[in-house]
Amino acid sequence: EIASCLVGSEMCKETGAQPHLRGSEEYITVFAGKVEITVGDESFRLSKGDSIRFPANVPHIYSNIGDEYVELSMLIYYNG
């Protein structure tokens, strides 16, 4: 099963996500702005044009780290 959405945020706030099902993966592509994604104990800074894939079955946090609007695509693959 695959779930996807386009997310936009003007706020400089954090948004956390609870772990998804075991074996699930999350794919993020940034279209505008700057975002920091913390997955477990690791943090990754992404800006326009960057992408990341990570295991979605661990806690993760999205933070708008810039002064501008953030737009990103989020695709979650549920294996099973």
Side-chain angles (χ1 to χ4, degrees):
E1 181 179 336
I2 296 175
S4 67
C5 66
L6 186 62
V7 179
S9 174
E10 295 180 53
M11 312 279 278
C12 293
K13 291 187 175 184
E14 291 184 351
T15 301
Q18 293 298 315
H20 299 282
L21 298 174
R22 184 171 169 236
S24 59
E25 296 180 327
E26 198 153 327
Y27 299 80
I28 305 292
T29 300
V30 179
F31 297 113
K34 296 178 183 176
V35 65
E36 181 175 81
I37 300 175
T38 303
V39 181
D41 295 332
E42 288 189 84
S43 293
F44 306 90
R45 289 180 173 234
L46 290 83
S47 57
K48 182 179 178 181
D50 292 337
S51 296
I52 189 172
R53 177 187 77 175
F54 58 88
N57 62 327
V58 296
H60 41 287
I61 300 169
Y62 308 91
S63 302
N64 180 343
I65 57 172
D67 296 328
E68 58 190 57
Y69 186 81
V70 171
E71 186 176 273
L72 59 84
S73 169
M74 177 187 304
L75 180 103
I76 303 169
Y77 172 67
Y78 293 99
N79 186 13

